[in-house]
């Protein structure tokens, strides 16, 4: 039975041997690591794109809303009663009443038509109910039902449920999410293939050494160990490099995006990977490296038979 | 210790290397396998070392029917054997010390034991001063002795050697044989395949003659 100290030392030896071999062929190791980093950075970048697009366009919960414009002449009291009635409906999150006076005041403040508005004899704006459905009521059919209900009330002039753009955006984000998942799987397979092939090439280069090791009683697990560490280490480095590549990309995009956002008067700022996302990316690289090396090493080492 | 019972070996190219071979080597015995090149001596050693499997028959080593050993048990089986080859099978980019230590490293032996036993094995073959040398810096005879040190460092119960003196001059060949004799004297079963009959005569041990894949009388 092997002692824990010997076991630990053997693994440390295998780790150091794997690192040594990587350092002895720095260019090859660097290129492999770079390929892994790019393969990891692409889906991670797509993930950031989705997250930032969601952030930039605001939460879809606030984007999907229904406006009911009441007929001019409807009293504020009646408008308040209608607002209360709507609040009592199922699937309604919030109802905000914007009275004609509030609407005019806002319009005056936000536009340059102050003097023109002063010339008006009466306020042409209607009272407006701004209704936000709950999450479950946000699908097209539910919104259509709500629109129909409101439009049937005699005090309501027009119901505007301009949700098409939000739905299109949601659909686009869903496409991007699917694209992210597909690319994560594809590039993950790519990382497996790269590390698996690198491991196979390395094993082929060390056939005589492996044969001798088997000859003196080395098990497949013993022979495999440094290759697994090599794959694990390259995956780890690839993950870290992918984080660096994404950070560099975001840094390069920050100023142009800020300029674009300022032109639209927005407050949006590009967000990078969160702490746990960074951890997941690095762990994914490490795991893929380990599995890739295993796939590349296991069968090939098992097939090598020592021949004196 | 080693028992072949009606063992045949046919290689994938159709060549019959062994035909119905039966032989027995007792524990602690020193036996020569003799015969010309291609007679089947190496095949017998390969079957003992589980580098090949018999086509028919039973090979028993240390009471263990080798056919019943699963693939995962082979490394541990080989660690109980010492094997010496004509071409040494050394790692040419590793120092002598690492070459000799390899069987102990793969067996996960503790470091203190490894150092002690590697130095003892190298001392036995007279190469203690060469621990840091690369095999390529040694003579052919010294390389062979490194191979022998590696074979005995794990204290095997059986030592098999395939033409261990094939590349050595007479003096070195005798030195190697004396080494083997010393291992036999401490209880190791030694089987040496050689075509050098003068060596066999000089050492006077039992020999088993192989001819065309058969044991000849």
């Amino acid at each position: 039975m092997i002692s824990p100290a010997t076991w630990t030392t053997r693994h440390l030896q295998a780790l150091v041997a794997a690192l040594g071999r990587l350092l002895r062929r720095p260019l090859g190791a660097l290129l492999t690591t770079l390929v892994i980093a790019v393969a990891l950075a692409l889906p991670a970048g797509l993930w950031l794109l989705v997250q930032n697009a969601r952030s930039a366009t605001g939460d879809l919960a606030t984007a999907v809303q229904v406006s009911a414009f009441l007929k001019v002449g409807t009293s504020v009291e009646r408008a308040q009663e209608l607002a209360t009635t709507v609040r009592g409906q199922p699937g309604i999150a919030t109802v905000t009443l914007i009275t004609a006076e509030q609407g005019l005041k806002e319009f005056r403040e936000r536009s340059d038509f102050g003097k023109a508005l002063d010339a008006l004899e009466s306020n042409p704006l209607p009272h407006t109910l701004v209704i936000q459905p709950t999450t479950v009521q946000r699908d097209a059919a539910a919104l259509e039902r709500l629109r129909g209900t409101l439009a049937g009330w005699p005090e309501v002039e027009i119901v505007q449920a301009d949700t098409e753009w939000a739905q299109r955006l949601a659909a686009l984000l869903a496409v991007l999410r699917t694209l992210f998942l597909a690319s994560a799987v594809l590039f993950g397979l790519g990382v497996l293939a790269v590390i698996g092939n690198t491991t196979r090439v390395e094993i082929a280069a060390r056939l005589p050494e492996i044969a001798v090791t088997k000859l003196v009683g080395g098990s497949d697990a013993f022979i495999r160990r440094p290759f697994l560490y090599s794959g694990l280490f390259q995956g780890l480095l690839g993950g870290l490099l992918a984080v660096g590549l994404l950070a560099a990309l975001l840094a390069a995009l920050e100023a142009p995006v800020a300029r674009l956002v300022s032109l639209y008067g927005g407050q949006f700022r590009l967000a990078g990977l969160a702490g746990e996302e960074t951890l997941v990316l690095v762990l994914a690289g490490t795991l893929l490296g380990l599995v890739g090396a295993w796939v590349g090493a296991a069968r090939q080492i098992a097939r090598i038979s020592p021949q004196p | 210790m080693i028992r072949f019972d009606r063992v045949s070996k046919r290689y994938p190219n159709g060549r019959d290397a062994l035909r119905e071979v039966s032989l027995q080597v007792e524990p602690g015995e020193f036996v020569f396998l003799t015969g010309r090149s291609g007679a089947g001596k190496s095949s017998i050693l390969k079957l003992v070392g589980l580098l090949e499997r018999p086509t028919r028959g039973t090979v028993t080593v240390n009471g263990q029917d080798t056919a019943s050993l699963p693939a995962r048990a082979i490394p541990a089986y080989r660690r109980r054997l010492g094997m010496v080859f004509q071409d040494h099978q050394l790692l040419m980019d590793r120092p002598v010390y690492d070459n000799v230590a390899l069987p102990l490293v793969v067996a996960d032996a503790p470091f203190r034991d490894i150092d002690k036993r590697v130095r003892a094995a190298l001392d036995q073959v007279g190469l203690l001063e060469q621990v840091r040398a690369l095999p390529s810096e040694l003579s052919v005879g010294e390389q062979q002795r490194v191979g022998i040190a590696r074979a005995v460092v794990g204290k095997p119960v059986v030592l098999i050697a395939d033409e261990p003196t094939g590349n050595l001059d007479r003096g070195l060949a005798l030195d190697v044989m004396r080494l083997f004799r010393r291992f036999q004297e401490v209880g190791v079963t030694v089987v040496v395949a050689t075509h050098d009959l003068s060596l066999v005569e000089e050492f006077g041990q039992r020999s088993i003659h192989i001819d065309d894949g058969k044991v000849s009388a």
Side-chain angles (χ1 to χ4, degrees), chain B:
Chain B
M1 175 58 65
I2 299 174
R3 183 186 167 89
F4 275 50
D5 193 9
R6 300 166 68 87
V7 173
S8 297
K9 175 65 187 175
R10 171 175 285 184
Y11 286 105
N13 63 5
R15 187 173 73 87
D16 285 313
L18 297 176
R19 306 160 199 260
E20 303 266 318
V21 168
S22 294
L23 57 85
Q24 186 154 339
V25 179
E26 300 301 329
E29 195 179 4
F30 188 138
V31 172
F32 283 109
L33 293 177
T34 59
R36 60 178 175 74
S37 289
K41 309 184 294 293
S42 295
S43 292
I44 290 175
L45 297 187
K46 284 178 182 174
L47 291 174
V48 173
L50 269 182
L51 305 175
E52 296 288 350
R53 298 274 194 174
T55 310
R56 277 195 309 275
T58 310
V59 177
T60 310
V61 179
N62 292 332
Q64 170 92 56
D65 177 0
T66 57
S68 67
L69 274 176
R72 66 175 182 283
I74 291 175
Y77 169 87
R78 287 199 186 122
R79 283 178 222 140
R80 294 196 296 272
L81 295 181
M83 291 190 258
V84 180
F85 307 97
Q86 184 175 358
D87 60 355
H88 326 310
Q89 296 282 327
L90 300 178
L91 303 176
M92 300 307 278
D93 60 341
R94 308 282 177 85
V96 165
Y97 185 96
D98 289 3
N99 270 284
V100 176
L102 189 59
L104 301 176
V105 172
V106 301
D108 285 325
F111 282 97
R112 278 192 306 276
D113 285 3
I114 291 177
D115 192 58
K116 204 165 65 184
R117 286 162 69 175
V118 167
R119 288 178 190 283
L122 285 171
D123 192 28
Q124 278 181 301
V125 299
L127 286 176
L128 195 51
E129 301 301 313
Q130 305 280 11
V131 283
R132 291 290 147 216
L134 289 173
S136 57
E137 295 164 353
L138 303 177
S139 69
V140 176
E142 286 172 327
Q143 288 182 19
Q144 187 60 288
R145 282 190 279 156
V146 174
I148 293 169
R150 187 185 63 188
V152 299
V153 74
K155 296 182 180 171
V157 287
V158 176
L159 180 63
I160 56 176
D162 191 4
E163 300 283 3
T165 59
N167 293 328
L168 306 181
D169 62 33
R170 183 80 185 159
L172 287 174
L174 290 173
D175 283 347
V176 167
M177 285 301 156
R178 285 188 198 106
L179 264 176
F180 287 152
R181 175 84 72 73
R182 271 166 41 202
F183 295 130
Q184 184 227 348
E185 285 165 3
V186 294
V188 179
T189 305
V190 181
V191 182
V192 178
T194 181
H195 62 273
D196 187 348
L197 293 177
S198 64
L199 213 55
V200 178
E201 284 166 14
E202 179 138 1
F203 275 82
Q205 305 293 335
R206 179 164 81 96
S207 68
I208 300 170
H209 189 71
I210 311 295
D211 185 22
D212 198 20
K214 293 177 185 169
V215 176
S216 67

Side-chain angles (χ1 to χ4, degrees), chain A:
Chain A
M1 182 69 183
I2 183 171
S3 72
T6 306
W7 184 91
T8 307
T9 313
R10 289 277 176 260
H11 277 263
L12 281 175
Q13 275 185 326
L15 177 64
V16 170
L19 284 175
R21 268 194 292 276
L22 289 179
L23 290 175
R24 278 198 291 276
R25 49 173 193 89
L27 185 63
L30 181 69
L31 289 175
T32 305
T33 306
L34 199 59
V35 170
I36 295 165
V38 171
L40 290 171
L42 283 170
L46 206 53
W47 168 257
L48 279 183
L49 177 67
V50 173
Q51 297 301 96
N52 277 291
R54 287 181 64 167
S55 171
T57 53
D59 192 339
L60 284 179
T62 59
V64 179
Q65 61 182 25
V66 176
S67 298
F69 300 97
L70 305 185
K71 286 178 178 165
V72 174
T74 306
S75 69
V76 175
E77 293 73 23
R78 181 61 190 147
Q80 283 167 341
E81 284 173 16
L82 289 173
T84 307
T85 307
V86 177
R87 278 188 200 102
Q89 300 273 317
I92 301 300
T94 61
V95 178
T96 308
L97 169 63
I98 301 172
T99 63
E101 287 67 32
Q102 286 171 332
L104 187 65
K105 189 180 168 199
E106 277 182 30
F107 187 58
R108 189 189 299 279
E109 286 168 359
R110 291 188 182 182
S111 70
D112 294 329
F113 298 121
K115 286 182 182 172
L117 292 171
D118 289 340
L120 294 173
E121 290 178 0
S122 61
N123 184 352
L125 298 178
H127 302 310
T128 307
L129 299 177
V130 178
I131 302 152
Q132 200 161 322
T134 56
T135 314
V136 290
Q137 292 294 324
R138 233 177 275 148
D139 66 82
L143 288 172
E144 189 51 38
R145 279 197 300 278
L146 177 62
R147 200 196 64 77
T149 304
L150 294 171
W153 292 356
E155 293 87 350
V156 173
E157 182 77 50
I158 305 168
V159 179
Q160 199 174 60
D162 189 11
T163 60
E164 266 188 19
W165 73 271
Q167 287 172 6
R168 283 175 189 156
L169 179 66
L172 180 64
L173 289 177
V175 169
L176 286 176
R177 265 197 299 274
T178 308
L179 209 56
F180 155 72
L181 286 173
S183 66
V185 170
L186 281 175
F187 285 109
L189 288 173
V191 171
L192 286 180
V194 166
I195 293 191
N197 193 50
T198 305
T199 306
R200 288 171 65 85
V201 169
E202 205 179 331
I203 287 171
R206 294 175 57 201
L207 268 181
E209 180 188 338
I210 292 170
V212 169
T213 307
K214 283 196 166 191
L215 209 54
V216 299
S219 64
D220 286 4
F222 176 87
I223 296 165
R224 215 163 37 222
R225 208 178 288 159
F227 295 105
L228 297 187
Y229 274 117
S230 183
L232 181 142
F233 198 71
Q234 285 203 294
L236 172 68
L237 281 181
L240 290 171
L241 192 57
V243 171
L245 286 175
L246 285 174
L249 179 69
L250 285 173
L253 282 174
E254 197 164 14
V257 168
R259 200 158 49 246
L260 180 68
V261 169
S262 72
L263 291 174
Y264 284 91
Q267 299 292 317
F268 169 74
R269 285 195 63 181
L270 269 179
L273 289 172
E276 62 270 25
E277 290 168 338
T278 304
L279 191 64
V280 166
L281 185 58
V282 174
L283 283 178
T286 309
L287 192 65
L288 285 170
L290 182 65
V291 174
W294 179 279
V295 169
R299 283 193 64 193
Q300 201 180 358
I301 287 174
R303 277 204 294 259
I304 297 170
S305 63
Q307 283 300 331

